[in-house]
Amino acid sequence: MQANAGLVAGSHRRNELVRIRHDSDSGPKPLKNLNGQTCQICGDTVGFTATGDIFVACNECAFPVCRPCYEYERKDGTQSCPQCKTRYRRHKGSPRVEGDDEEDDIDDLENEFSYAQGNSKARHHWQGEDPELSASSRHESQQPIPLLTNGQPVSGEIPTPDTQSVRTTSGPLGPADRNINSSPYVDPRQPVPVRIVDPSKDLNSYGLGNVDWKERVEGWKLKQEKNMMQMSNKYSEGKGDIEGTGSNGEELQMADDARQPLSRVVPIPSSHLTPYRVVIILRLIILGFFLQYRATHPVKDAYPLWLTSVICEIWFALSWLLDQFPKWYPINRETYLDRLALRYDREGEPSQLAPVDVFVSTVDPLKEPPLVTANTVLSILAVDYPVDKVSCYVSDDGSAMLTFEALSETAEFARKWVPFCKKHNIEPRAPEFYFAQKIDYLKDKIQPSFVKERRAMKREYEEFKVRINALVAKAQKMPEEGWTMQDGTPWPGNNPRDHPGMIQVLSSFQVSKKSIFDISFLSSIFLVLIPFGGEQVFLGHSGGLDTDGNELPRLVYVSREKRPGFQHHKKAGAMNALIRVSAVLTNGAYLLNVDCDHYFNNSKALREAMCFMMDPVLGKKTCYVQFPQRFDGIDIHDRYANRNIVFFDINLKGLDGIQGPVYVGTGCCFNRQALYGYDPVLTEEDLEPNIIIKGCCGSRKKGKGSNKKYIDKKRAMKRTESTVPIFNVEDIEEGVEGYDDERSLLMSQKSLEKRFGQSPVFIAATFMEQGGIPPTTNPATLLKEAIHVISCGYEDKTEWGKEIGWIYGSVTEDILTGFKMHARGWISIYCMPPRPAFKGSAPINLSDRLNQVLRWALGSIEILLSRHCPIWYGYNGRLKLLERLAYINTIVYPLTSIPLIAYCMLPAFCLLTGKFIIPEISNFASMWFILLFVSIFATGILELRWSGVGIEDWWRNEQFWVIGGTSAHLFAVFQGLLKVLAGIDTNFTVTSKASDDDGDFAELYVFKWTSLLIPPTTVLIVNMVGIVAGVSYAINSGYQSWGPLFGKLFFAIWVIAHLYPFLKGLLGRQNRTPTIVIVWSILLASIFSLLWVRIDPFTSDSTSATANGQCGINC
């Protein structure tokens, strides 16, 4: 298009284009006086009819309108005259529209309902001014483009100060083949009509800004408000998102998007889900007939083996029910980050996004390398979120000076790393993993300076790594006098079991609307000791700004106080200390916790979580948003199922359709109010009993036990939504005088202190639902309270760990914490963005992996034997039945190890004794065995179909279920019983996060002896020996013994196939296993098997004599 073609204004979304005529236009000017008739809408000549008469659109007032504008008004406009508002009558040759009278004398059957043909000339007339412009206005997409406002026909625009485009109320601006009853979509394959507007004329003559236009906009507003109310109601019922249709102008589009839900439920297609559910029901029926047959047909000559097998099969059936039915309602979710930004984070305006406190927990810097923790912290500081809304708290539960110094180096390096990430929008924002990517890092990069800056940043990071490695090397051996700081002061945390609480702000705070003070003055203090009741507090050094002069997120080092004689509750206690200290210093409305080895792989992870947390409907009843765990550094075949794909992509998706996924310990964003033990704000529908309880037991009645024990429900429902606390600090310190009128709704000061502890500042912060610091505190108070709330005696005689925060009583505090929230009626959300939000490391060594699984299983046993067991706890709450089944399955699965190891030994015993657990069966009975196996495979295949999980991941999960069940789960059962019944505690082993420095997956082949290897090794050897013995016996006994042998061999080989990854782990790297060891193993197993057959201890003399009379190998 030429430069002198005039100003062009338009909207891609509305498929319209307006050209304002320029004086230099070379095209023909509209004739002003052709018989005195000029179209008052577009300025063109009115034109003539086929008979040569001047075209008259309105027979009432003869308002001058040309044929194209007349056709447009009839089809896409008001269908009435702009002047007298009389409905246009149909002229000959015009297509019929809804509402036309039947007029036989002017029907044109050739052009009936053919707008494209009947008006091709008119379209050419409209576009004849600039055919190049018309041709360039076509959309490339071939799919219909949905509008934004529920299909309401809207013209004009809302006059706003920043409007930069001009839109018309009538005239040929719409697509040519659109009718009044068509779906609210624009066909992009049609050319966009161009309308010429003369800027020298009054725009009112074009219909812009006239009364008719304003009336239509007001009518649209009323309809839009009504539609949005319907959308909110439907969305609150859990029916998913509603796509908006239709819009008018950029401001209307923004207003429309700002009111749309921030996320939507994407249901699994019924073509995938219905067959899956049908097969589950069929499998349940087949399983019932199978167990009925097995129980009624004992094997008399092998009764102990038969009875053992039947008991195991019944337990496996119950376990399958607990695992299968919570996956009945799987769903997917989708977020709209653009709507979140439009509603809470508009460009040029102060961000309204909620403040978030991010927790990072670490214990031992030798097992959790500081470089790994540093990368996690750097990814948090560079997150795509307003910097004044993010605070990062690092909990050092080992009080290691190495961790402290590494964080100081990290804070300094962040001043260079954060602006580089945000300038070039790189992913991920953990430098170690960004520079290790084997991809084209120049893709989508357009700034010429990127390559140079990237090389410089990589050099800076390598220097940073060298400094961290030097600190690690120095920390390998502790001096006899303990560690000392640069100024010669002894490090207070030299004794990790007896040290004061320590806090250091490594990045300065800035003043915000919700904070009450500016502690940037603390940045001038470097390692100054401030005594407070025997405690010491460190407050940070300068460095709150990056190299570009922009503010950095806050970074705070925290090490809670530890003293002998106090129970510190491991990770759960450290997380509760972080809740309190963060509430005193920043009090973000939401918390997100990650392990020290889980970095932000998606810089928009916080925004993804806020799409649910800040949703007006979902946010009030959502306790946490759980992200799936994804891992780096795992071998391509995932030998030990470290990725846990089946759990994260199948089980948790299923729970998301019920009441939400379980909390898995990391990568989770919490609502503070849920951690404080408050009830959610539920609708009447949420309070209805679930359909099974309602159908079987009727509506649940309130009993005495339903009264508040830990929660004042009236207060929970009437909490203020403002940032002003119900109590300010002075009122709390002086009591609750002056609040007599609200005493029935609020807890007394004594009750608050019994619940939350004796910290007025923290108690005041608990009432701030939207976050922020109470406006009446001062810096001195904060310094005292920050140390006070992390003291080891603060939780005494409070409800911390019982009803508030992370719940104590299990090494898997995550399951217990999530269960307590769900029991109160909260829901959780499973968020799986296209780019994984977090990535971490997992132990790829067999022994480390088994120890990790042992810790998880031990925690489940501890919950099973506690008062919080889902089997009997929380029936007065609002926990849904299928959600309860999922929690029961989560805590009883270690018990499956006992029948599993027995069932895995049965094939070997059958081969060695010549007995079998199944009698001779008829063809009818064999049908149930065949159908059971078919239903098992069909369930697995259909499950993979709707979840998108690969067959290899599914098979690895099945294999490791057997490996873990015969080793770690079995040990967990006995250790749990010893701990609960005998009081013998087991040490908590931190999973090593050491990097792989010896090559790709070198750690995978390292053999580390542990007692966990004994049971599965025994199962493997016994089954191998059984196979050799069974085959030897069959060869020696004759061909008639081969038939029963195949059934026994099938089960034995099935067990060995499941334990194959374990066998590879025992052998280590193939080129490192001496050949002589393998040869001697095979030789010894063969000799032992032949001796067993020769001795034949289980065969009586009579049976032996009978066997000798049969034809054997010598026939």
Side-chain angles (χ1 to χ4, degrees):
M1 185 181 296
Q2 298 177 359
N4 62 353
L7 176 63
V8 178
S11 170
H12 173 82
R13 293 177 179 268
R14 294 202 57 200
N15 199 35
E16 68 179 18
L17 198 63
V18 177
R19 179 182 172 209
I20 300 179
R21 182 180 294 277
H22 193 270
D23 292 339
S24 61
D25 281 351
S26 59
K29 303 280 185 179
L31 299 178
K32 296 293 182 183
N33 291 307
L34 180 57
N35 293 331
Q37 297 294 327
T38 301
C39 177
Q40 297 301 306
I41 295 179
C42 66
D44 291 338
T45 57
V46 171
F48 301 92
T49 63
T51 60
D53 298 328
I54 295 176
F55 177 74
V56 179
C58 178
N59 295 330
E60 297 293 332
C61 67
F63 185 70
V65 175
C66 65
R67 184 68 177 254
C69 293
Y70 160 80
E71 299 289 5
Y72 176 82
E73 281 296 325
R74 275 178 45 80
K75 189 170 189 305
D76 292 324
T78 61
Q79 302 182 6
S80 60
C81 174
Q83 179 169 286
C84 66
K85 302 298 185 291
T86 302
R87 179 182 174 85
Y88 279 134
R89 297 186 63 184
R90 179 171 172 249
H91 292 280
K92 187 175 182 180
S94 297
R96 188 186 301 277
V97 298
E98 183 177 345
D100 284 345
D101 296 331
E102 294 294 335
E103 300 172 280
D104 297 333
D105 56 334
I106 62 170
D107 278 347
D108 183 2
L109 298 180
E110 293 181 0
N111 295 317
E112 186 73 23
F113 300 109
S114 179
Y115 183 78
Q117 297 177 4
N119 296 281
S120 59
K121 294 181 180 179
R123 283 210 315 273
H124 287 307
H125 175 71
W126 301 339
Q127 299 171 4
E129 297 286 348
D130 196 340
E132 182 183 351
L133 178 61
S134 175
S136 65
S137 302
R138 300 175 187 269
H139 289 287
E140 295 179 0
S141 173
Q142 298 299 316
Q143 298 297 327
I145 301 174
L147 301 181
L148 299 171
T149 54
N150 299 315
Q152 304 300 329
V154 183
S155 297
E157 67 175 352
I158 290 181
T160 55
D162 56 344
T163 301
Q164 299 177 358
S165 60
V166 179
R167 304 192 186 278
T168 60
T169 63
S170 58
L173 299 181
D177 57 345
R178 183 171 151 192
N179 64 59
I180 198 70
N181 288 327
S182 63
S183 177
Y185 290 92
V186 176
D187 188 356
R189 292 168 291 187
Q190 296 297 330
V192 181
V194 181
R195 180 178 177 189
I196 306 302
V197 181
D198 189 350
S200 63
K201 297 184 60 175
D202 185 4
L203 293 180
N204 286 329
S205 64
Y206 294 94
L208 297 175
N210 59 26
V211 176
D212 176 46
W213 168 79
K214 294 179 180 178
E215 290 175 354
R216 278 192 260 172
V217 172
E218 292 300 323
W220 175 85
K221 288 182 179 179
L222 294 175
K223 293 178 181 179
Q224 181 71 359
E225 290 175 359
K226 182 178 179 181
N227 290 332
M228 289 309 302
M229 291 177 62
Q230 294 174 353
M231 290 175 63
S232 299
N233 292 337
K234 185 172 182 179
Y235 186 67
S236 64
E237 293 171 2
K239 297 180 181 178
D241 182 29
I242 303 173
E243 294 294 341
T245 57
S247 178
N248 180 69
E250 194 170 327
E251 288 299 320
L252 287 182
Q253 171 198 332
M254 293 175 63
D256 190 27
D257 282 350
R259 287 188 297 235
Q260 295 287 336
L262 302 178
S263 64
R264 76 183 182 106
V265 173
V266 183
I268 306 294
S270 58
S271 59
H272 292 175
L273 209 53
T274 301
Y276 174 67
R277 290 171 174 170
V278 170
V279 170
I280 291 175
I281 298 299
L282 291 177
R283 180 176 172 181
L284 184 61
I285 297 172
I286 293 169
L287 187 62
F289 281 103
F290 171 80
L291 293 177
Q292 185 269 341
Y293 172 82
R294 293 284 285 123
T296 56
H297 291 76
V299 181
K300 296 182 179 179
D301 59 341
Y303 194 83
L305 296 178
W306 167 83
L307 182 61
T308 302
S309 66
V310 170
I311 293 173
C312 292
E313 287 162 1
I314 292 174
W315 179 263
F316 294 151
L318 293 175
S319 298
W320 172 75
L321 290 175
L322 292 175
D323 178 70
Q324 186 65 67
F325 280 96
K327 296 182 283 190
W328 190 260
Y329 299 104
I331 61 171
N332 293 312
R333 293 185 187 270
E334 194 175 84
T335 56
Y336 299 105
L337 298 181
D338 53 344
R339 295 179 183 174
L340 178 74
L342 194 61
R343 185 179 297 185
Y344 297 110
D345 194 27
R346 293 194 180 190
E347 188 175 355
E349 300 179 7
S351 176
Q352 300 299 319
L353 290 172
V356 182
D357 295 335
V358 184
F359 296 168
V360 181
S361 57
T362 182
V363 180
D364 187 351
L366 299 181
K367 290 187 176 181
E368 299 169 327
L371 189 61
V372 174
T373 306
N375 272 271
T376 299
V377 172
L378 288 170
S379 69
I380 296 171
L381 298 180
V383 72
D384 183 8
Y385 206 76
V387 292
D388 60 323
K389 305 285 186 178
V390 180
S391 302
C392 177
Y393 291 82
V394 180
S395 171
D396 178 17
D397 221 31
S399 66
M401 186 175 173
L402 173 59
T403 303
F404 175 80
E405 291 183 333
L407 276 182
S408 298
E409 291 286 350
T410 303
E412 185 64 24
F413 178 71
R415 299 177 63 242
K416 305 173 185 177
W417 173 251
V418 172
F420 172 76
C421 294
K422 295 185 176 181
K423 178 179 179 180
H424 299 290
N425 195 27
I426 66 168
E427 295 285 359
R429 299 188 176 181
E432 181 71 23
F433 302 96
Y434 169 69
F435 291 120
Q437 291 182 114
K438 297 179 180 179
I439 61 172
D440 180 14
Y441 63 84
L442 297 177
K443 185 178 180 181
D444 300 328
K445 299 297 183 291
I446 60 176
Q447 298 189 34
S449 62
F450 172 69
V451 175
K452 182 179 180 181
E453 292 181 13
R454 185 182 186 275
R455 290 173 182 169
M457 185 53 61
K458 187 174 183 180
R459 184 171 59 253
E460 292 281 354
Y461 176 64
E462 289 172 350
E463 294 175 357
F464 167 73
K465 287 177 65 175
V466 170
R467 293 195 297 271
I468 296 295
N469 292 337
L471 293 175
V472 174
K474 179 182 176 182
Q476 295 300 315
K477 186 176 180 180
M478 184 176 179
E480 294 183 0
E481 65 277 7
W483 298 111
T484 57
M485 293 176 288
Q486 293 180 356
D487 60 351
T489 307
W491 172 249
N494 279 322
N495 186 347
R497 294 178 180 156
D498 186 5
H499 65 84
M502 295 179 286
I503 300 173
Q504 170 125 357
V505 182
L506 298 167
S507 294
S508 62
F509 288 67
Q510 302 294 329
V511 179
S512 64
K513 292 182 179 179
K514 293 182 180 180
S515 63
I516 53 90
F517 68 104
D518 180 4
I519 62 172
S520 58
F521 72 92
L522 299 174
S523 62
S524 61
I525 305 174
F526 179 67
L527 300 180
V528 176
L529 304 183
I530 302 178
F532 170 66
E535 311 289 351
Q536 291 176 334
V537 56
F538 296 91
L539 293 165
H541 58 81
S542 60
L545 301 179
D546 62 27
T547 53
D548 293 343
N550 299 316
E551 183 184 358
L552 287 173
R554 307 166 187 88
L555 175 59
V556 184
Y557 170 86
V558 178
S559 182
R560 57 178 174 148
E561 181 192 23
K562 286 189 175 181
R563 300 296 182 191
F566 287 90
Q567 177 60 262
H568 301 295
H569 303 289
K570 301 175 182 175
K571 181 181 177 180
M575 299 307 294
N576 284 338
L578 284 184
I579 293 178
R580 297 190 295 271
V581 74
S582 64
V584 170
L585 294 180
T586 54
N587 196 31
Y590 303 103
L591 313 174
L592 188 144
N593 85 290
V594 291
D595 289 341
C596 67
D597 61 322
H598 273 70
Y599 64 91
F600 276 67
N601 183 62
N602 185 345
S603 62
K604 291 181 170 56
L606 292 181
R607 294 179 181 268
E608 296 278 355
M610 291 304 107
C611 284
F612 301 102
M613 287 299 192
M614 298 188 70
D615 189 279
V617 178
L618 275 180
K620 295 181 179 180
K621 55 184 178 181
T622 301
C623 56
Y624 59 81
V625 176
Q626 178 66 60
F627 293 90
Q629 292 185 25
R630 299 292 187 244
F631 301 98
D632 287 317
I634 296 177
D635 58 298
I636 189 172
H637 297 293
D638 193 14
R639 179 188 292 180
Y640 305 123
N642 284 282
R643 292 190 179 93
N644 230 344
I645 293 293
V646 171
F647 174 74
F648 288 113
D649 288 13
I650 296 181
N651 294 68
L652 294 192
K653 276 186 181 180
L655 290 177
D656 199 18
I658 305 171
Q659 199 174 345
V662 298
Y663 169 42
V664 297
T666 183
C668 187
C669 184
F670 285 93
N671 186 336
R672 266 193 192 268
Q673 300 300 311
L675 285 170
Y676 290 156
Y678 293 137
D679 276 355
V681 178
L682 301 176
T683 62
E684 293 183 1
E685 183 179 349
D686 296 324
L687 297 173
E688 287 287 330
N690 63 66
I691 190 169
I692 297 179
I693 299 296
K694 191 175 182 179
C696 300
C697 310
S699 298
R700 195 165 52 234
K701 296 183 179 179
K702 271 193 173 182
K704 294 181 180 179
S706 65
N707 295 330
K708 73 174 177 83
K709 182 176 180 181
Y710 298 104
I711 303 171
D712 188 334
K713 295 187 177 179
K714 290 184 179 180
R715 180 207 170 279
M717 293 296 292
K718 296 187 178 183
R719 294 196 305 265
T720 176
E721 298 213 358
S722 68
T723 58
V724 179
I726 297 178
F727 292 117
N728 61 34
V729 178
E730 288 80 8
D731 291 325
I732 293 175
E733 292 175 347
E734 295 172 7
V736 290
E737 290 80 1
Y739 290 91
D740 294 337
D741 296 338
E742 300 182 13
R743 194 167 292 178
S744 60
L745 299 176
L746 306 176
M747 291 181 288
S748 65
Q749 178 187 2
K750 186 176 181 180
S751 299
L752 286 169
E753 291 180 350
K754 183 178 180 181
R755 181 178 175 80
F756 295 110
Q758 297 182 355
S759 171
V761 174
F762 175 75
I763 292 175
T766 63
F767 291 95
M768 311 285 289
E769 283 194 90
Q770 304 303 317
I773 304 297
T776 53
T777 50
N778 55 65
T781 303
L782 286 185
L783 295 179
K784 294 180 180 179
E785 294 302 317
I787 287 295
H788 176 48
V789 297
I790 62 173
S791 60
C792 55
Y794 181 83
E795 296 180 355
D796 291 349
K797 299 180 180 180
T798 67
E799 294 180 3
W800 283 100
K802 302 172 185 175
E803 299 296 327
I804 300 175
W806 270 256
I807 306 302
Y808 303 150
S810 171
V811 295
T812 53
E813 69 290 329
D814 44 8
I815 296 176
L816 204 51
T817 302
F819 172 66
K820 293 281 286 187
M821 294 181 186
H822 282 137
R824 296 190 190 102
W826 290 93
I827 67 169
S828 57
I829 300 293
Y830 195 48
C831 181
M832 297 181 65
R835 180 180 180 86
F838 305 95
K839 279 191 175 182
S841 60
I844 61 175
N845 180 266
L846 175 60
S847 300
D848 291 339
R849 173 71 165 138
L850 290 178
N851 276 300
Q852 183 187 56
V853 174
L854 170 64
R855 185 173 72 250
W856 294 344
L858 178 60
S860 296
I861 294 297
E862 289 174 342
I863 298 174
L864 176 65
L865 301 176
S866 71
R867 73 181 186 91
H868 290 119
C869 177
I871 299 176
W872 51 73
Y873 180 85
Y875 282 96
N876 291 329
R878 305 188 187 98
L879 189 66
K880 294 184 179 180
L881 178 62
L882 292 181
E883 191 80 11
R884 183 179 295 277
L885 291 181
Y887 273 109
I888 292 175
N889 181 56
T890 303
I891 64 161
V892 302
Y893 77 90
L895 297 179
T896 306
S897 60
I898 297 175
L900 179 62
I901 198 168
Y903 209 72
C904 288
M905 297 290 283
L906 284 177
F909 289 150
C910 291
L911 287 167
L912 293 173
T913 61
K915 312 294 182 182
F916 201 38
I917 59 175
I918 301 174
E920 295 184 3
I921 57 177
S922 62
N923 292 333
F924 177 78
S926 64
M927 178 186 69
W928 297 117
F929 287 85
I930 296 173
L931 288 177
L932 181 62
F933 278 99
V934 170
S935 66
I936 291 173
F937 283 109
T939 305
I941 292 171
L942 292 175
E943 204 168 69
L944 300 182
R945 185 186 178 199
W946 65 254
S947 65
V949 175
I951 185 68
E952 184 178 11
D953 292 317
W954 176 82
W955 175 237
R956 290 295 184 219
N957 182 78
E958 293 294 313
Q959 288 179 313
F960 197 78
W961 178 75
V962 176
I963 295 172
T966 55
S967 58
H969 298 173
L970 184 67
F971 276 74
V973 172
F974 291 105
Q975 287 187 14
L977 291 173
L978 288 174
K979 182 176 181 179
V980 175
L981 301 179
I984 301 176
D985 199 358
T986 54
N987 292 327
F988 176 81
T989 303
V990 178
T991 305
S992 176
K993 279 91 176 177
S995 58
D996 191 3
D997 297 328
D998 299 330
D1000 291 340
F1001 314 121
E1003 188 72 14
L1004 180 67
Y1005 307 102
V1006 175
F1007 181 81
K1008 301 177 182 178
W1009 172 253
T1010 172
S1011 56
L1012 297 176
L1013 302 176
I1014 296 176
T1017 304
T1018 303
V1019 172
L1020 264 175
I1021 293 176
V1022 170
N1023 276 277
M1024 287 181 176
V1025 170
I1027 290 175
V1028 175
V1031 172
S1032 302
Y1033 181 82
I1035 292 174
N1036 193 50
S1037 299
Y1039 297 107
Q1040 69 278 2
S1041 61
W1042 283 93
L1045 177 65
F1046 284 127
K1048 303 172 187 177
L1049 286 177
F1050 173 78
F1051 288 108
I1053 294 174
W1054 188 252
V1055 171
I1056 293 175
H1058 279 79
L1059 292 173
Y1060 177 70
F1062 176 84
L1063 179 61
K1064 291 185 68 176
L1066 287 180
L1067 297 178
R1069 196 186 292 269
Q1070 292 180 358
N1071 58 4
R1072 295 184 181 180
T1073 304
T1075 305
I1076 192 64
V1077 174
I1078 300 176
V1079 172
W1080 274 104
S1081 299
I1082 296 174
L1083 183 61
L1084 290 174
S1086 301
I1087 293 173
F1088 178 78
S1089 302
L1090 293 173
L1091 285 174
W1092 181 278
V1093 172
R1094 182 63 180 171
I1095 297 172
D1096 205 3
F1098 292 99
T1099 305
S1100 61
D1101 294 338
S1102 60
T1103 305
S1104 179
T1106 304
N1108 290 332
Q1110 296 178 351
C1111 182
I1113 193 173
N1114 297 321
C1115 288

